[in-house]
Amino acid sequence: MQVHTLDKATIINELQFGNGINHAVHEGRRADFALILSMFSDDVRDNTPVEKVEAVNTTDQLLRQRFELQPPQPLRSDQSSYEISAQQANLFHTSGLPSAKLSHYLKPEVLAYLPEDTHDLPEEVYHNLSGHQRRKLSEAEPKQLLPADLYNKLVDAQRTFQISTRA
């Protein structure tokens, strides 16, 4: 039998040999048994049926839309959160705790009221910064470093000035 014929045979398990492996065991033919076992595929995926599992893309937004849930409770305050908080406080004073709880469940209040325009720093730390440091925090892009040829430009400017003053 040719070697290439054995490679293309794709022998996966003992069912493809019929009684050959059984006869090799009962008659004590170890060489035949070893040869038959060596021709089996050693890939586990050949021996066991594998089904492709479709991964379903589930995001928080899709689940909230499917179950008709409210948006999640915001973590940080903005301008609209003060109005919501005032409304819930008013409901608490006029209608009691159940009304305030219902309002909170329908439109949740933020978890933390942080100061605005402090670049995520606590208020006491931000106000303790110097004016220069606050200005650096508010700059959108950092300043460019000095150009590499600054020394040459300064020397050229000095020579040009000296020439213009002597002439």
Side-chain angles (χ1 to χ4, degrees), residues 34-81:
L35 177 66
I36 292 172
L37 282 183
S38 69
M39 287 192 283
F40 288 164
S41 173
D42 59 349
D43 192 1
V44 169
R45 293 172 293 184
D46 288 341
N47 295 329
T48 56
V50 177
E51 295 179 16
K52 185 176 181 182
V53 177
E54 296 291 329
V56 179
N57 186 11
T58 56
T59 62
D60 188 44
Q61 183 66 24
L62 289 173
L63 291 175
R64 286 188 177 280
Q65 184 179 5
R66 180 178 176 193
F67 294 115
E68 298 176 3
L69 297 174
Q70 293 292 326
Q73 185 174 11
L75 301 176
R76 187 182 177 138
S77 63
D78 58 359
Q79 287 298 323
S80 66
S81 60

Side-chain angles (χ1 to χ4, degrees), residues 14-27 29 33 36:
E14 63 274 2
L15 295 175
Q16 292 171 315
F17 278 105
N19 292 334
I21 195 166
N22 190 19
H23 290 297
V25 169
H26 285 292
E27 294 173 8
R29 297 184 311 213
F33 181 74
I36 292 172

Side-chain angles (χ1 to χ4, degrees), residues 18-160:
N19 292 334
I21 195 166
N22 190 19
H23 290 297
V25 169
H26 285 292
E27 294 173 8
R29 297 184 311 213
R30 294 179 147 208
D32 291 343
F33 181 74
L35 177 66
I36 292 172
L37 282 183
S38 69
M39 287 192 283
F40 288 164
S41 173
D42 59 349
D43 192 1
V44 169
R45 293 172 293 184
D46 288 341
N47 295 329
T48 56
V50 177
E51 295 179 16
K52 185 176 181 182
V53 177
E54 296 291 329
V56 179
N57 186 11
T58 56
T59 62
D60 188 44
Q61 183 66 24
L62 289 173
L63 291 175
R64 286 188 177 280
Q65 184 179 5
R66 180 178 176 193
F67 294 115
E68 298 176 3
L69 297 174
Q70 293 292 326
Q73 185 174 11
L75 301 176
R76 187 182 177 138
S77 63
D78 58 359
Q79 287 298 323
S80 66
S81 60
Y82 294 104
E83 181 182 329
I84 295 168
S85 177
Q87 179 186 11
Q88 289 180 3
N90 187 25
L91 286 172
F92 173 74
H93 288 296
T94 58
S95 305
L97 186 60
S99 178
K101 279 187 176 182
L102 178 63
S103 174
H104 175 72
Y105 294 142
L106 292 175
K107 190 144 189 167
E109 212 175 355
V110 295
L111 289 176
Y113 287 92
L114 299 175
E116 295 179 11
D117 299 329
T118 60
H119 303 282
D120 294 332
L121 294 172
E123 203 167 2
E124 59 273 2
V125 172
Y126 182 76
H127 289 302
N128 199 26
L129 296 175
S130 70
H132 298 292
Q133 291 168 330
R134 285 188 218 153
R135 189 188 73 243
K136 285 181 184 177
L137 284 174
S138 63
E139 288 177 355
E141 57 185 51
K143 271 188 171 179
Q144 295 293 326
L145 296 176
L146 295 175
D149 60 343
L150 177 66
Y151 180 75
N152 294 336
K153 287 182 181 180
L154 290 174
V155 170
D156 287 343
Q158 182 185 13
R159 296 292 180 214
T160 308

